[in-house]
Amino acid sequence: MTKSLSRLDLNLLFILQLLLQERSVSKTAKKLNVTPSTVSKSLAKLRDWFDDPLFVKTPQGFQLTPLAHGMEQELSEWLQMGKQLMAKRGDEMTKGLTFELMLESPLLLIMLNELTQAIYTQYPDAKVKVRNWDYDSLEAIVRGEADMGFTGRESHPRSKESLDLLPYFIDFEVLFTDLPQVYLRRDHPALQEEWNIDTFLKYSHINILWEKSETWALDDVLIELGLSRNIVLTLASFEQSLFVAAEPHHNMMAIAPQYCEQYARQLHPDLVSRPIPISGEYLDKLAIPFTLIWHKRNSHNPKITWLRSKIKAIYQQHD
């Protein structure tokens, strides 16, 4: 027999969500600032309501039953919708909003001032927290610790960072597609030679860690061509690689997205850029779709909807 939702204390669903996250009665009790006995009684009520144990004790801790596992995502989305409904009570609910963003750098440096000013104009009391996109950022979005990410993905069919490999519960929108460029000083000896693949590979390269990996689509393409780069320096970010490439007394070159030309003009005017001397289908595999990424539970969140439209508007102005 179907049970009426009106007979269920909805606070129990909030406790259930915390139990699903923490997999522990004591940790859930600590988060709620109540005793473990209180949480255990609530769990007993939930088990009775759903006619299912929901959690099974094992040496490794709580394990979810198939029913609990099956409703974990739906419960999270349902409670998120409830929060959004509460946010529609009036303008006063927009006070104290926090925007948690994870943006690839130096992209965030190029657009950060315009974006923060737009946020403060729309939401004068808002707080903005921005972190660099890194290998943990997608998990932060899944856990609800970040509202949105903006980063480059990869087009190479074997890449682990392909858009096709994003989890089903992640929504995304490609804002623009970029191609990596080679950045080197104006007095670099390579510029005195014919710009081709031999010249490109003749000189040492500065590399960056891409999603915790020291290789990326370019290296995969070069392997397909039976070639490889001489990487002598690996750094953590595009800014660092461009900074080093601009320094005198070496012949290293850096590779960064084409949008970095704007950043380089402002901070490293002695740098020039050249296309990677690869063409056709191999060049297509290097395309970088720069992508807005958010959790499906936020697809109809007014704050996220406004943020997406504002980021797109800022990009269109720059474009």
Side-chain angles (χ1 to χ4, degrees), residues 203-222:
Y203 295 92
S204 301
H205 285 220
I206 305 166
N207 194 36
I208 71 159
L209 288 172
W210 180 281
E211 295 275 344
K212 215 176 181 179
S213 174
E214 294 189 15
T215 61
W216 57 288
L218 173 60
D219 300 293
D220 292 331
V221 165
L222 290 174

Side-chain angles (χ1 to χ4, degrees), residues 110-125:
I110 294 174
M111 63 186 304
L112 184 60
N113 183 58
E114 289 179 77
L115 179 58
T116 53
Q117 291 306 312
I119 291 173
Y120 296 138
T121 299
Q122 182 75 13
Y123 304 101
D125 299 313

Side-chain angles (χ1 to χ4, degrees), residues 47-105:
R47 284 169 166 165
D48 180 64
W49 175 267
F50 289 105
D51 194 23
D52 186 90
L54 300 176
F55 302 93
V56 179
K57 282 187 177 180
T58 72
Q60 290 75 38
F62 270 170
Q63 295 295 318
L64 275 61
T65 66
L67 176 64
H69 183 76
M71 66 182 179
E72 184 175 13
Q73 183 63 34
E74 293 178 356
L75 178 61
S76 176
E77 293 175 358
W78 190 76
L79 290 173
Q80 180 67 28
M81 290 173 62
K83 292 178 183 178
Q84 292 170 18
L85 287 173
M86 293 297 293
K88 295 179 182 294
R89 292 184 300 174
D91 293 340
E92 72 278 1
M93 294 303 294
T94 65
K95 293 182 179 179
L97 277 180
T98 298
F99 289 80
E100 300 262 5
L101 308 177
M102 295 189 142
L103 307 178
E104 178 176 301
S105 186

Side-chain angles (χ1 to χ4, degrees), residues 286-301:
L286 302 183
I288 305 171
F290 278 89
T291 309
L292 294 171
I293 298 174
W294 64 95
H295 199 284
K296 283 186 183 294
R297 63 172 171 260
N298 284 325
S299 292
H300 303 290
N301 184 320

